[in-house]
Amino acid sequence: MKINIRKYNTMDLSSMIQIWNEVVEDGIAFPQEDCLTEEAGYRFFGEQTYCAVAENSESKKIYGLYILHPNNVGRCGHICNASYAVSSESRGLHIGEKLVQDCLVQAKEHGFFIMQFNAVVATNTHARHLYERLGFQQLGTIPGGFRMKDGHYEDICPYYFVL
């Protein structure tokens, strides 16, 4: 299967919203609690600095996506943040790795100097191993920084990568 990472277009929005909402509903990685409606998704993805999808180049099926945006404003506006979502049916196919690698390229092309992840859940071991393998540095641990869907709290681990 050949996966192509490309800039999203409006034809992708339905798949993007579905994948995003699946991660939100899981309640173990994203801080959002409310799913995107079609209207909210159109607005949300449109407000990002850049969004991309992971598409099967043969079937045109969307397997994942990322969003890229500033992490802060003004004097810290050169630091960006990103979120990655991969459909549950395609996890384990290294799609997340392709998304992160493309995102790093796009972040630099969009003028950012640093990528920072504010709240990687400590129990999200697959994401943490991927980030560390790609050269991200963990900044520390924030005890109980993430409320899981079932109500208990997990630590979060901020990461950064110098572009």
Side-chain angles (χ1 to χ4, degrees), residues 81-146:
N81 186 284
S83 296
Y84 309 93
V86 176
S87 69
S88 60
E89 70 185 46
S90 57
R91 292 182 192 150
L93 300 176
H94 304 284
I95 290 168
E97 182 172 359
K98 290 174 177 32
L99 289 167
V100 174
Q101 288 174 326
D102 187 79
C103 185
L104 292 172
V105 170
Q106 289 298 329
K108 193 168 189 171
E109 287 184 9
H110 282 83
F112 294 109
F113 298 170
I114 299 167
M115 171 80 68
Q116 179 177 320
F117 300 146
N118 303 320
V120 179
V121 181
T123 55
N124 192 349
T125 55
H126 293 295
R128 294 183 65 205
H129 290 151
L130 171 61
Y131 301 150
E132 291 168 10
R133 189 164 37 82
L134 293 177
F136 283 80
Q137 299 294 313
Q138 184 176 336
L139 290 167
T141 302
I142 300 170
F146 189 92

Side-chain angles (χ1 to χ4, degrees), residues 141-160:
T141 302
I142 300 170
F146 189 92
R147 184 175 40 80
M148 302 293 277
K149 185 176 183 174
D150 68 5
H152 83 277
Y153 289 86
E154 290 289 344
D155 297 347
I156 55 175
C157 306
Y159 280 86
Y160 77 96

Side-chain angles (χ1 to χ4, degrees), residues 44-57:
F44 175 73
F45 292 116
E47 292 171 347
Q48 306 303 316
T49 300
Y50 188 85
C51 297
V53 295
E55 176 187 65
N56 180 319
S57 58

